[in-house]
Amino acid sequence: MLVVALGITWRYLGSYMAGVFEGRVRYLAWAERPFYRVLGTSPEQEQTWKRYAGSLVIFSAVFLGFGYLLLRVQGSLPLNPQHMGQVTPALSLNTITSFVTNTNWQNYAGETTMSYFSQIGVLTVQQFVSAAVGIAVAIALVRGFSRRNSSTIGNFWVDTTRCLLYILLPISFIAGIILVGEGAVMTLAGPVTVHDALNGVTQTIPRGPAGFMGSIMQLGTNGGGFFNANLAHPLENPTAITNLLYIWLTLSIPFALTYTFGKMVGSIRHGAALLAAMAIIFGVWVGFTVYAEHTNNPAVAAAGVHSTVGNTEGKEVRFGDTSSALFNISMTHTSDGAVDSATDSYTPMGGFGPLSGMMLGEVTPGGVGSGLYTILVYAVIAVFIGGLMIGRTPEYLGKKIQAREVKLAGVAALVMPVTVVVLTAVAASLHAGRAGPLNSGPHGFTEILYALTSQGNNNGSAMAGLSGNTAFYNVVGAIAMLLGRFAIIIPALALAGTLAAKQTVPAGLGTFRTDNGMFVGLTIGVIIIVGGLTFFPALSLGPIVEQLSHGKFW
Amino acid sequence: MTATAAPAPAAPETPTPRGVAQSRSLFDREILAQSLRDSFFKLDPRVQIKNPVMFVVAVGTVVTFIEAVAKPTFFSWAITVWLFLTVIFANFAEAMAEGRGKAQADTLRRMRSETEARRLLPDGGEQRCPASELSKGDLVVCEAGDVIPSDGDIIEGIASVDESAITGESAPVIRESGGDRSAVTGGTRVLSDRLVVRITAERGQTFLDRMIGLVEGANRQKTPNELALTILLAVLTIVFIPVVVSLDPFGHFSAIVSGAKGTGTVDVVILVALLVCLIPTTIGALLSAIGIAGMDRLVQRNVLAMSGRAVEAAGDVQTLLLDKTGTITLGNRMASKFIPVGGHSEQELASAAQLASLADETPEGRSIVVLAKERFAIRERQLEGSHEFVAFTAQTRMSGLDLDGRRIRKGAAEAVKRWVAEQGGTPPDELDGVVETVSKAGSTPLVVADGRTVLGVIELKDVVKQGIREKFDQMRQMGIRTVMITGDNPLTAAAIAQEAGVDDYLAEATPEAKMALIKAEQEGGKLVAMTGDGTNDAPALAQADVGVAMNTGTTAAKEAGNMVDLDSNPTKLIDVVEIGKQLLITRGALTTFSIANDVAKYFAIIPALFAATYPQLNTLNVMKLHSPTSAVLSAVIFNALVIIALVPLALRGVRFRAAGASAILRRNVWIYGIGGLIVPFIFIKLIDLVLVALHAY
């Protein structure tokens, strides 16, 4: 059912998005105009890649600054029925960076730290805006391929506005209604205290505008939930239907963008090739993670408990191990990072799935926009290596891949692994970092690695088991998130600029085919090699050795 | 030139006389010895830094050396030695590639140094001076036996010139002032007569100088694709540095959290070994050798590329402009058929045609005589009695013979018809039909008349070269469009194009039309290659992405093009394209191989790396290598030996078969991608077994 639903969205949402960004879908033009007037721009004013990147950086920096201030003074702001105090500087920095970079790493528990105002006015706004920024960058890069001899790659303000108005707002509104209809809580009335007469217990149940926040958090592959328990919380993810809806929301745009790409460059087959590369890796990872979670948790088995229903420790029984594993892979292979089960309690190889999924650079299918622009970076590298092997200067969609393109793609591909590895090394060396993990042994190492991989990839999935809300982890995490976002976006936009300026070479029999199975294979190869080879030593010290410690690899 | 070394076993093509391009065996002993010496000279850090991958290896070697001195063990010394050998092997590969060019350059240099010039002074006197003192614009005199001191244009005289020093072709060529045959090259020898030559080359900029520079690779610059690949290799190197360096803190931390014995310190020697194994050393070591060898392969075929960029562009070419004459067809039209008209017999026609052609020394004329002899055994006759040959002129467009009152003419249909009509004769009605049929088939009709009687038509056929059609089929498979350029009318052009199997043709081509065609193709994003020799070809040669000038051509043409074919064989353009492609394929294939190798090396080294902290990682030791240190050493030895093993491949180039891109890719991915995954598993295991057998462990 999920596959069919995704197939339909791939085709129709993808086509719709192409229409929006090519300016053909204009039914909300009246709503666009006021934005342009305020911003002093118009769809006709195209930007060079430098202007585009500049606008993006300024835009993000403004939100970063304001967001930080608002979190710091949340105690004096309205919509704060629980009278939450101000957020500490380090946590404010980490949190606002996290939401501006579409990471949604949460070093706090939402229901006990953030006021309603912060949740809505700061965090939810960012869930919309950061998603729109990501998609805008992807579209700009696509234009790099579709245009020829052009000095411009679109207009950042227009792309972002259109993305919000035509795509994110309508879909999340409809999904939000369904979620609330299924029982997700949606209120600003503060927590309720209920008295369970049967057991004689009184408990306070936090509430909030979780329903609508849930829809954009998934649609925008944000993953930052209202509650600390994220989507394992029954008030945010009440039923099996909402669980499925959340998965669909997360995967819909990242997959559909490949169709948008195909349509905009005039070859759906090219979009389908990227989709295939994404889907194959995704499928394999779901497969082995589900398998790993079907087995008994060796740690539990060692305690003498024999389970016949797989590894259910840390999972909501109403979802079970298969659905939980699917959910978890879906959220880590997008840049979403929401959870409906505790990764910390997965079997080592079950935890390897989400962790290594993030290490592949969030391209299968990745976050909204970021998945597409990152896989395009990998595709450029695949084209370069494969293209040389047929004896021509490599071309992708008629664009010659030469020194400048390789340099930019190389930098974009390099940033993430270097950031993660270096920061993990720093954390593992310093006292402040070593204090983080709750577990000893390789699992403790995995906890650090997981946290920095998640932030470096702008994912936000948390394994739990790491005390992240310390000054050290807040700051290191913020650095990882900023590098993982902007140090990839800027080379990606530069790549868009240099590609757009190029002449297009017509395809012929002697052209390296970039829309067939061989190319899909090569792209997968590059993704696995860049992600896999760089992290293999670290992984072998974490989940791999942990699994081996239980006496078997599989 | 010096005696040719042992014939190259790797060159299956028919042996042609070679100039610079003496075939040398791939592993000529002299070159081998020189290369070994050069491998050590290249250890200079200023040389090493040019190659980021090998520079990292060199630095790593220094690090392990210091470690080995501080804590001498068999293992640390063994690793140090093998890392050092890795650097030496890379230098050796480059030196080998350069060695062949250097040997050729030496021969050429000897030729240049000994020439003396006779400079013509303004007052008419002569002055002797060394060739090296000539400057542009000087006039020099060369007489039979003199070596032409520098490049120039003949402004006075005609002479036969021996150009074998440059081209290897022993037959002398005629050079004369004016026209397309006025250019002479320094280093060639005048065999007869006297020439006055205006020097056109600046000091040190002669063709010979450039040739020496090119074969030697002195000013070799990285070509665009080579540069791009170097960047990719640098990226793959940079990314592995933090990966490896971070293993030390990871190891410490793991030792603490796992509660294992020891501090978890990872041996620096092993870390360096891992780094060297992970960075793409194989391709990094061979990259420049591949580029130099690619240029050298062109030189072997007597083509001089003015830049490596041009060689690469040749691989990218999508449109080939080929001159009809000499490339697609044999140079000249040949008589192929006698078609009698008006009831005359074929033999009658042949006899008259032969008489009319006896004095015709053009290849066409001779071919008529030959055909008459073949068909009817009509021998060349000694003409007796009064006879007068009538030569061809542009006005009459006929030639022939007046013999004992008979007036025999052959020529263009219209001209002969008019001539017959002037004498009161009437050409038979069928004549026009025959003439048209012959024209439509792409041949040239020559009408033969004896006085007032039209005897028939000789068909002069353009003979398409053997095997050229197959070549064009291959080109098409590679996605290259071939366009025939000809001065013929469209009808003739179409017929020949059809017969030769080219994709398109440009008939009645003028230099302007040629230029327009190139520009149109380029505007569509295509790369165009062409050959040319005349001065009027120069603009088009300059405009084309790959312009191959014939060595027999004018100086202007040679300067406009970016390659010169010393054999002046326009068909070679096709070879040039293949060499360009082979160069890129070799780079791509070895890059893929190099990266694919990493997987096996990981499985050898990672279990060894943390053996102390996590013995259970030994499960990853799928090759069942003897011990952690033997595993690391085996991987490093493999890494070094694979460079040496691939030197012949890098120098010779990956085998290239004309095929579509998809077929080539599939083949190379299987061999170098999948092969690159599997091969190291086998060889690392073998090396490990050998180490154990040698009691190193």
Side-chain angles (χ1 to χ4, degrees):
Chain A
M1 195 172 108
L2 182 65
V3 172
V4 173
L6 285 172
I8 294 169
T9 19
W10 181 70
R11 169 67 185 80
Y12 292 101
L13 180 60
S15 170
Y16 172 74
M17 288 193 288
V20 167
F21 291 110
E22 284 174 346
R24 285 182 280 113
V25 177
R26 297 297 306 276
Y27 62 92
L28 290 175
W30 55 270
E32 290 177 49
R33 256 172 248 127
F35 284 95
Y36 300 153
R37 211 165 298 138
V38 171
L39 293 164
T41 186
S42 78
E44 285 72 41
Q45 285 176 23
E46 293 257 323
Q47 295 174 311
T48 61
W49 82 263
K50 282 182 185 157
R51 297 282 311 255
Y52 202 102
S55 305
L56 186 150
V57 169
I58 292 168
F59 185 67
S60 302
V62 166
F63 275 112
L64 211 56
F66 271 103
Y68 179 81
L69 286 178
L70 290 176
L71 290 180
R72 293 286 293 129
V73 299
Q74 96 171 350
S76 341
L77 294 171
L79 285 179
N80 189 0
Q82 288 155 284
H83 306 291
M84 308 272 192
Q86 63 175 9
V87 185
T88 63
L91 182 58
S92 297
L93 173 70
N94 186 281
T95 304
I96 191 62
T97 309
S98 167
F99 279 77
V100 168
T101 57
N102 197 253
T103 310
N104 288 215
W105 175 266
Q106 292 166 295
N107 269 341
Y108 61 90
E111 61 270 42
T112 56
T113 316
M114 296 294 166
S115 70
Y116 290 152
F117 181 85
S118 299
Q119 291 272 20
I120 299 169
V122 180
L123 305 185
T124 310
V125 165
Q126 277 316 307
Q127 295 193 325
F128 278 100
V129 170
S130 68
V133 167
I135 295 173
V137 173
I139 295 298
L141 183 52
V142 173
R143 288 197 189 107
F145 286 102
S146 65
R147 294 182 175 187
R148 61 157 83 178
N149 300 334
S150 164
S151 59
T152 58
I153 55 169
N155 181 316
F156 170 75
W157 309 108
V158 174
D159 288 342
T160 309
T161 308
R162 284 187 178 157
C163 185
L164 285 169
L165 291 179
Y166 289 90
I167 299 164
L168 298 176
L169 282 167
I171 300 177
S172 65
F173 184 74
I174 295 167
I177 290 177
I178 299 172
L179 290 172
V180 174
E182 284 291 315
V185 62
M186 189 72 200
T187 177
L188 294 178
V192 286
T193 305
V194 287
H195 181 70
D196 186 341
L198 208 60
N199 296 328
V201 187
T202 301
Q203 64 180 149
T204 303
I205 297 176
R207 299 183 305 177
F212 276 82
M213 198 169 166
S215 75
I216 185 59
M217 109 185 209
Q218 295 304 90
L219 181 67
T221 63
N222 291 290
F226 182 83
F227 299 108
N228 189 33
N230 207 293
L231 291 185
H233 198 295
L235 290 184
E236 198 160 359
N237 189 3
T239 64
I241 293 174
T242 56
N243 199 48
L244 202 60
L245 180 62
Y246 278 131
I247 298 180
W248 174 82
L249 280 172
T250 310
L251 297 176
S252 56
I253 293 182
F255 274 129
L257 274 172
T258 59
Y259 188 94
T260 311
F261 164 71
K263 190 155 173 104
M264 287 178 74
V265 300
S267 163
I268 303 294
R269 275 183 68 97
H270 275 90
L274 293 187
L275 173 73
M278 290 174 167
I280 289 169
I281 298 183
F282 182 75
V284 169
W285 255 253
V286 168
F288 80 73
T289 308
V290 166
Y291 175 81
E293 290 309 296
H294 262 305
T295 59
N296 280 328
N297 189 329
V300 175
V305 179
H306 291 279
S307 162
T308 51
V309 290
N311 176 26
T312 51
E313 154 69 20
K315 295 191 180 64
E316 288 280 296
V317 178
R318 58 207 170 96
F319 301 136
D321 57 278
T322 306
S323 165
S324 297
L326 168 66
F327 189 95
N328 206 344
I329 291 295
S330 299
M331 299 314 146
T332 47
H333 282 240
T334 59
S335 82
D336 190 286
V339 286
D340 73 351
S341 53
T343 312
D344 204 26
S345 306
Y346 273 44
T347 60
M349 288 318 287
F352 174 87
L355 176 57
S356 56
M358 293 188 289
M359 287 170 171
L360 297 183
E362 298 292 10
V363 290
T364 57
V368 286
S370 65
L372 182 64
Y373 65 68
T374 314
I375 202 170
L376 281 172
V377 162
Y378 286 135
V380 164
I381 296 174
V383 162
F384 182 73
I385 297 174
L388 280 181
M389 275 196 286
I390 61 148
R392 276 256 292 262
T393 298
E395 296 148 21
Y396 190 35
L397 288 157
K399 301 287 190 181
K400 282 208 160 107
I401 306 301
Q402 291 167 307
R404 188 169 160 78
E405 290 73 36
V406 171
K407 185 161 67 185
L408 293 169
V411 168
L414 189 79
V415 166
M416 184 277 289
V418 170
T419 305
V420 171
V421 167
V422 169
L423 292 180
T424 307
V426 169
S429 313
L430 298 178
H431 182 73
R434 289 179 179 176
L438 299 181
N439 289 66
S440 66
H443 202 79
F445 178 73
T446 309
E447 284 164 354
I448 299 180
L449 181 64
Y450 196 103
L452 288 164
T453 304
S454 174
Q455 295 181 78
N457 279 291
N458 296 150
N459 185 294
S461 168
M463 191 164 172
L466 180 83
S467 311
N469 188 14
T470 62
F472 174 79
Y473 277 108
N474 276 327
V475 172
V476 167
I479 294 170
M481 290 185 282
L482 286 174
L483 285 174
R485 177 82 166 175
F486 296 103
I488 296 175
I489 280 184
I490 291 170
L493 286 175
L495 189 61
T498 158
L499 288 172
K502 286 201 165 204
Q503 167 75 280
T504 306
V505 182
L509 270 178
T511 308
F512 173 61
R513 289 279 298 272
T514 45
D515 59 354
N516 60 8
M518 180 59 91
F519 177 69
V520 172
L522 279 174
T523 308
I524 292 175
V526 168
I527 294 171
I528 301 278
I529 281 176
V530 172
L533 289 186
T534 45
F535 287 113
F536 186 73
L539 283 172
S540 65
L541 286 177
I544 293 178
V545 75
E546 190 185 349
Q547 182 83 2
L548 291 173
S549 307
H550 294 304
K552 58 163 190 160
F553 185 66
W554 201 231
Chain B
M1 302 210 66
T2 54
T4 312
E13 73 263 41
T14 48
T16 47
R18 297 273 178 228
V20 277
Q22 289 182 57
S23 310
R24 274 178 186 265
S25 145
L26 200 51
F27 292 102
D28 186 273
R29 191 170 300 170
E30 204 180 309
I31 297 178
L32 216 53
Q34 179 64 41
S35 303
L36 275 174
R37 277 195 296 278
D38 285 349
S39 313
F40 287 88
F41 291 129
K42 282 176 184 283
L43 287 173
D44 185 338
R46 281 167 302 181
V47 178
Q48 289 292 316
I49 194 102
K50 286 183 191 159
N51 183 338
V53 181
M54 294 319 294
F55 184 70
V56 169
V57 181
V59 171
T61 312
V62 174
V63 172
T64 55
F65 177 74
I66 294 168
E67 274 292 304
V69 169
K71 285 175 272 174
T73 60
F74 167 75
F75 175 70
S76 56
W77 276 109
I79 294 286
T80 307
V81 167
W82 278 101
L83 290 184
F84 179 68
L85 284 177
T86 310
V87 179
I88 290 291
F89 289 166
N91 291 347
F92 176 72
E94 194 179 86
M96 278 293 291
E98 287 169 349
R100 291 150 67 85
K102 275 199 182 125
Q104 287 159 355
D106 286 344
T107 323
L108 291 171
R109 204 172 276 130
R110 233 169 287 141
M111 189 160 77
R112 183 183 55 179
S113 57
E114 294 146 11
T115 316
E116 201 182 37
R118 291 159 60 188
R119 184 155 50 187
L120 207 59
L121 299 172
D123 60 11
E126 266 181 39
Q127 177 200 27
R128 293 195 169 260
C129 70
S132 54
E133 280 183 15
L134 291 174
S135 51
K136 197 172 171 176
D138 283 355
L139 298 181
V140 293
V141 179
C142 303
E143 279 176 329
D146 286 349
V147 171
I148 298 172
S150 183
D151 302 352
D153 282 328
I154 301 172
I155 54 167
E156 195 185 313
I158 174 168
S160 58
V161 177
D162 172 13
E163 295 193 334
S164 61
I166 301 285
T167 64
E169 178 64 59
S170 53
V173 293
I174 300 295
R175 296 289 179 200
E176 60 185 321
S177 62
D180 284 352
R181 308 231 168 254
S182 64
V184 288
T185 313
T188 58
R189 187 179 295 271
V190 179
L191 293 181
S192 67
D193 306 290
R194 175 180 186 273
L195 294 176
V196 177
V197 176
R198 179 189 288 120
I199 302 301
T200 53
E202 292 288 359
R203 242 174 267 181
Q205 293 287 309
T206 66
F207 189 67
L208 204 58
D209 289 317
R210 276 194 290 170
M211 210 153 107
I212 291 169
L214 283 168
V215 294
E216 208 172 31
N219 311 316
R220 210 179 79 84
Q221 285 182 327
K222 285 200 171 90
T223 55
N225 277 309
E226 193 180 355
L227 189 65
L229 186 52
T230 307
I231 292 171
L232 182 72
L233 297 182
V235 166
L236 286 175
T237 305
I238 293 168
V239 78
F240 283 119
I241 293 175
V243 165
V244 169
V245 172
S246 67
L247 288 179
D248 185 53
F250 289 0
H252 280 294
F253 181 74
S254 295
I256 294 167
V257 290
S258 69
K261 276 181 239 117
T263 56
T265 303
V266 185
D267 189 356
V268 175
V269 174
I270 296 188
L271 280 184
V272 173
L274 177 65
L275 177 62
V276 170
C277 286
L278 291 182
I279 62 177
T281 45
T282 315
I283 179 68
L286 297 173
L287 187 56
S288 62
I290 294 170
I292 297 165
M295 296 282 281
D296 189 55
R297 269 197 298 284
L298 268 185
V299 175
Q300 299 286 323
R301 300 202 196 181
N302 265 358
V303 177
L304 289 185
M306 298 305 159
S307 69
R309 182 184 284 267
V311 185
E312 262 181 13
D316 288 352
V317 159
Q318 281 158 303
T319 306
L320 281 187
L321 304 190
L322 300 162
D323 278 326
K324 184 197 79 176
T325 310
T327 312
I328 296 170
T329 62
L330 294 171
N332 311 299
R333 288 170 298 189
M334 309 277 274
S336 61
K337 217 197 243 173
F338 296 115
I339 309 165
V341 293
H344 297 280
S345 74
E346 204 181 335
Q347 186 154 7
E348 243 177 295
L349 171 62
S351 175
Q354 192 246 21
L355 281 174
S357 307
L358 278 179
D360 187 349
E361 283 301 319
T362 63
E364 286 89 351
R366 264 179 274 154
S367 77
I368 294 172
V369 176
V370 169
L371 184 70
K373 187 173 160 188
E374 277 173 6
R375 298 271 295 131
F376 302 105
I378 303 172
R379 305 195 149 271
E380 280 192 44
R381 289 167 272 195
Q382 279 301 316
L383 295 174
E384 286 150 22
S386 69
H387 64 268
E388 193 187 337
F389 291 110
V390 179
F392 178 90
T393 68
Q395 282 76 41
T396 60
R397 293 165 68 210
M398 290 187 301
S399 65
L401 169 79
D402 293 344
L403 174 72
D404 300 334
R406 273 174 86 188
R407 284 152 53 99
I408 305 172
R409 295 288 183 276
K410 68 172 205 300
E414 289 310 311
V416 175
K417 270 161 73 182
R418 203 180 317 117
W419 182 72
V420 168
E422 276 166 15
Q423 299 176 75
T426 323
D429 296 339
E430 59 189 294
L431 181 65
D432 286 345
V434 171
V435 165
E436 203 187 316
T437 314
V438 171
S439 299
K440 267 197 183 146
S443 303
T444 311
L446 280 187
V447 176
V448 179
D450 188 347
R452 308 162 43 161
T453 328
V454 173
L455 296 175
V457 176
I458 310 168
E459 186 187 74
L460 288 180
K461 204 170 174 190
D462 245 326
V463 183
V464 171
K465 281 188 178 173
Q466 264 195 337
I468 199 86
R469 199 186 172 92
E470 288 69 34
K471 273 280 180 201
F472 291 148
D473 287 343
Q474 288 176 2
M475 291 284 132
R476 198 166 304 114
Q477 275 181 3
M478 290 194 277
I480 297 172
R481 207 165 77 92
T482 45
V483 181
M484 181 181 85
I485 309 287
T486 172
D488 292 342
N489 63 57
L491 213 62
T492 313
I496 297 171
Q498 168 98 43
E499 193 186 340
V502 293
D503 297 317
D504 203 354
Y505 62 89
L506 180 67
E508 289 168 353
T510 57
E512 293 75 32
K514 221 165 164 176
M515 189 74 173
L517 177 66
I518 294 176
K519 280 187 173 159
E521 293 281 323
Q522 286 175 335
E523 252 152 50
K526 290 185 173 171
L527 263 63
V528 182
M530 67 168 286
T531 59
D533 55 2
T535 300
N536 56 14
D537 282 332
L541 278 171
Q543 178 72 31
D545 301 282
V546 176
V548 183
M550 300 294 105
N551 192 47
T552 51
T554 58
T555 311
K558 283 200 250 179
E559 270 170 10
N562 44 21
M563 291 189 198
V564 175
D565 179 15
L566 300 176
D567 295 342
S568 303
N569 170 9
T571 318
K572 224 181 274 163
L573 191 52
I574 296 169
D575 295 355
V576 170
V577 169
E578 291 190 353
I579 291 174
K581 284 195 179 294
Q582 196 186 25
L583 174 66
L584 295 187
I585 293 177
T586 308
R587 283 196 200 126
L590 290 183
T591 305
T592 309
F593 184 83
S594 193
I595 297 171
N597 273 203
D598 277 7
V599 175
K601 294 175 193 164
Y602 258 133
F603 280 98
I605 297 182
I606 293 291
L609 204 54
F610 302 111
T613 310
Y614 292 127
Q616 55 271 46
L617 275 176
N618 201 39
T619 315
L620 294 182
N621 182 4
V622 290
M623 287 173 272
K624 302 277 171 258
L625 302 176
H626 176 261
S627 67
T629 48
S630 79
V632 175
L633 186 55
S634 302
V636 169
I637 293 176
F638 169 80
N639 197 49
L641 290 183
V642 78
I643 294 173
I644 281 294
L646 290 175
V647 166
L649 184 72
L651 295 187
R652 235 178 247 149
V654 168
R655 199 149 63 98
F656 177 75
R657 252 199 246 131
S662 301
I664 297 178
L665 181 67
R666 207 172 311 121
R667 185 184 135 88
N668 288 326
V669 165
W670 274 104
I671 298 179
Y672 298 98
I674 309 296
L677 277 178
I678 298 166
V679 165
F681 277 103
I682 299 168
F683 281 93
I684 292 177
K685 176 69 187 168
L686 281 178
I687 294 168
D688 187 66
L689 289 176
V690 170
L691 285 176
V692 173
L694 291 175
H695 301 290
Y697 285 93

